[in-house]
Amino acid sequence: MESAALSRIGLAGLAVMGQNLALNIAEKGFPISVYNRTTSKVDETLDRAAVEGNLPVSGQYSPRDFVLSLQRPRSLIILVKAGAPVDQTIAAFSEYMEPGDCIIDGGNEWYQNTERRISEAEQKGLLYLGMGVSGGEEGARNGPSLMPGGSFQAYDNIKDILGKVAAQVEDGPCVTYIGEGGSGNFVKMVHNGIEYGDMQLISEAYDVLKNVGGLSNEELAEIFTEWNRGELESFLVEITSDIFRVKDEFGDGELVDKILDKTGMKGTGKWTVQQAAELSVAAPTIAASLDCRYLSGLKDERENAAKVLREAGLKEEIGSASSGIDKKRLVDDVRQALYASKICSYAQGMNLLRAKSLEKSWNLNFGELARIWKGGCIIRAVFLDRIKKAYQRNPDLASLVVDPEFAKEMVQRQAAWRRVVGLAVSAGISTPGMCASLAYFDTYRRARLPANLVQAQRDLFGAHTYERTDRSGAYHTEWTKLARKSN
């Protein structure tokens, strides 16, 4: 009788994501206890539970009552700000927890913090999961993509809940056990890095269509709607078409044109680029998207630069770029350029995951990662199913660029891709994401690069040695002495 009155799972941290995830769990038939330090958030969640169908949500007002309201072995999710608040929350709850109980951190946490907490939890006999949650507030309420990593036992204890709560696609729920340690957090971090790249590439497509093609917001809305019916079908393309349709409530025209061009960020994109550098993995599209967010923050400097360079004689090409443009061809070229650029961006993200998986012995299943991203998450897209199949065909695939199916598509689209980048450069429109993707493609596909000259330079000034193409071993040359002698 006692266990019948207890909740199956608990959730602490009732901001937007926490509330919505708690209600999602309750709606799927799992009684849940909720807790928040600010008690009004508990009341708010209980009110929503009543309104949204008398859902089985139990409000708790102290850490002790919260923990003791859960069935053993206890499983509790925390959704609080990453860093010190997570440690404080764990300390408050673990005082009342018993060996075999489990803590699941659903925040965007740095993976090494999760690995430290797994070790600390083990010393108390507790289980720990770091679980990436993607999909925003709508995903949390109706079905997110979930990326749990850490204790497999902890995952097994709540597998049935996660399977019902996650987004559902034709080949199963968008959740899988990612691997040991901080793998769940790391995978979510790279997911966010890919998201940065995706958003940047879409914004560049918009910039070219608007400022080279001279297309109106109404036309852009139709184009993105059309694109969302084909190979570019995705959450981000779909919401972009909606954005262009929203009118400004305070004046004429559409709201998108009144938004200040400064981008916010929370840090996962920066972590992704830092990890790529540490692992010697090229991720230029993701890095370019991060740089663009930094540059967007320099609004005053950019306005001043525009003024100074105009006075120095720089002519604005953007306004005149649309004359004589074949709009229909431009739209099709941009579609192809966007698709090819996206393949490169996803390839960079998957290669980063592969490098970390090898370093940490996580044995990540890349096809399965692509599958759980097909629904619920921000980067969900129809072509993730094709990425899944690429890794099923070859689990050791070096890069998506060399998967036979994707390779064919890249080759078919490269002429359009080059036209778009060339047109943008001529018009003075920055397309750093598309340029980075194209440069990545061109560098990766070349059997021989000018790196031989860089190696010669390094050997000349630093005696770093070099290898030869025609014989084995390391060589050093007295370059300056020999060059002067030949003179």
Side-chain angles (χ1 to χ4, degrees):
M1 286 299 291
E2 182 202 351
S3 69
L6 296 175
S7 295
R8 174 66 203 282
I9 193 166
L11 190 146
L14 298 172
V16 174
M17 286 289 286
Q19 271 191 33
N20 281 311
L21 188 60
L23 295 170
N24 180 357
I25 291 168
E27 192 173 62
K28 298 305 187 294
F30 300 102
I32 184 169
S33 292
V34 296
Y35 169 79
N36 199 84
R37 276 198 318 173
T38 309
T39 56
S40 60
K41 288 286 185 188
V42 178
D43 297 333
E44 199 180 296
T45 308
L46 293 175
D47 289 344
R48 280 189 64 188
V51 169
E52 295 179 28
N54 287 319
L55 303 175
V57 179
S58 159
Q60 304 297 329
Y61 295 91
S62 76
R64 181 181 179 278
D65 290 348
F66 173 65
V67 172
L68 298 182
S69 72
L70 306 176
Q71 287 177 25
R72 292 191 188 91
R74 303 180 180 93
S75 295
L76 59 94
I77 299 169
I78 54 177
L79 271 166
V80 299
K81 194 175 175 188
V86 175
D87 290 311
Q88 289 156 11
T89 306
I90 291 169
F93 295 144
S94 59
E95 196 178 327
Y96 308 104
M97 297 175 79
E98 299 171 30
D101 290 350
C102 170
I103 297 168
I104 303 113
D105 176 15
N108 275 335
E109 187 55 273
W110 175 236
Y111 83 100
Q112 287 179 332
N113 283 343
T114 295
E115 298 194 331
R116 167 178 58 80
R117 290 175 188 136
I118 288 171
S119 175
E120 290 167 357
E122 277 174 356
Q123 289 165 23
K124 298 175 184 170
L126 303 177
L127 308 177
Y128 198 90
L129 276 180
M131 183 171 72
V133 179
S134 179
E137 56 182 290
E138 186 194 333
R141 182 64 184 85
N142 301 310
S145 176
L146 300 171
M147 297 155 246
S151 162
F152 182 78
Q153 182 61 57
Y155 169 73
D156 210 40
N157 290 351
I158 57 166
K159 185 179 174 182
D160 58 332
I161 300 176
L162 300 183
K164 289 273 174 56
V165 165
Q168 307 293 316
V169 290
E170 75 283 351
D171 48 7
C174 292
V175 59
T176 193
Y177 175 68
I178 301 295
E180 296 178 351
S183 59
N185 294 112
F186 195 91
V187 166
K188 174 58 165 52
M189 176 198 80
V190 174
H191 161 287
N192 286 19
I194 294 170
E195 180 186 306
Y196 272 52
D198 247 1
M199 293 170 77
Q200 177 63 30
L201 291 168
I202 289 170
S203 75
E204 291 173 17
Y206 154 66
D207 201 7
V208 171
L209 291 174
K210 180 185 169 78
N211 290 306
V212 177
L215 297 168
S216 67
N217 289 329
E218 191 178 341
E219 289 172 308
L220 288 166
E222 288 305 318
I223 287 162
F224 275 82
T225 300
E226 183 61 35
W227 284 357
N228 199 47
R229 296 190 188 111
E231 64 191 11
L232 288 170
E233 183 189 330
S234 63
F235 172 70
L236 286 168
V237 168
E238 180 186 357
I239 65 167
T240 301
S241 70
D242 290 340
I243 286 166
F244 290 127
R245 289 189 166 90
V246 175
K247 300 290 182 190
D248 179 21
E249 61 179 315
F250 298 115
D252 296 333
E254 286 77 31
L255 177 57
V256 69
D257 294 328
K258 309 291 171 62
I259 296 174
L260 185 68
D261 53 326
K262 280 174 74 169
T263 313
M265 69 189 98
K266 292 192 173 172
T268 45
K270 181 173 82 172
W271 290 347
T272 306
V273 173
Q274 286 172 333
Q275 280 294 294
E278 284 195 18
L279 291 160
S280 302
V281 173
T285 312
I286 298 170
S289 68
L290 183 66
D291 288 339
C292 278
R293 293 197 182 197
Y294 293 148
L295 283 165
S296 78
L298 306 177
K299 177 67 171 171
D300 293 341
E301 287 185 38
R302 288 188 289 113
E303 287 184 339
N304 184 56
K307 178 171 171 287
V308 169
L309 292 167
R310 194 165 50 244
E311 287 168 358
L314 182 69
K315 288 190 170 52
E316 187 66 78
E317 299 290 341
I318 288 177
S320 58
S322 57
S323 57
I325 288 284
D326 180 341
K327 286 189 184 182
K328 194 166 182 237
R329 184 183 177 185
L330 178 67
V331 168
D332 194 55
D333 279 356
V334 172
R335 174 185 60 78
Q336 294 185 63
L338 177 56
Y339 183 78
S341 297
K342 274 167 66 85
I343 293 171
C344 287
S345 185
Y346 279 72
Q348 292 159 32
M350 297 311 258
N351 285 358
L352 176 53
L353 289 172
R354 186 182 62 179
K356 198 67 179 180
S357 181
L358 286 169
E359 181 195 77
K360 304 286 285 184
S361 301
W362 283 339
N363 297 316
L364 297 181
N365 182 330
F366 308 112
E368 184 68 352
L369 296 183
R371 187 193 70 75
I372 67 167
W373 289 344
K374 280 164 57 179
C377 71
I378 303 301
I379 65 169
R380 63 184 183 264
V382 73
F383 91 142
L384 278 160
D385 193 55
R386 306 200 29 248
I387 293 177
K388 179 192 86 168
K389 286 172 180 164
Y391 283 106
Q392 284 176 337
R393 282 192 292 272
N394 180 6
D396 299 318
L397 187 65
S399 170
L400 289 174
V401 173
V402 294
D403 170 72
E405 297 290 317
F406 282 121
K408 202 181 295 175
E409 293 188 331
M410 303 282 277
V411 171
Q412 287 167 350
R413 285 159 181 73
Q414 66 161 337
W417 196 5
R418 295 180 197 285
R419 281 196 296 272
V420 170
V421 168
L423 199 58
V425 170
S426 300
I429 292 173
S430 61
T431 50
M434 286 186 183
C435 286
S437 281
L438 182 57
Y440 178 80
F441 173 74
D442 281 338
T443 305
Y444 189 69
R445 70 179 176 80
R446 288 184 65 194
R448 184 159 172 83
L449 293 170
N452 55 317
L453 180 59
V454 176
Q455 279 301 85
Q457 291 169 335
R458 293 179 72 242
D459 188 51
L460 184 151
F461 65 67
H464 293 296
T465 75
Y466 57 89
E467 294 174 90
R468 292 179 60 104
T469 58
D470 55 354
R471 58 191 68 193
S472 60
Y475 293 84
H476 169 58
T477 297
E478 298 287 343
W479 297 91
T480 306
K481 194 187 291 179
L482 291 171
R484 285 178 184 157
K485 195 183 286 182
S486 69
N487 276 344

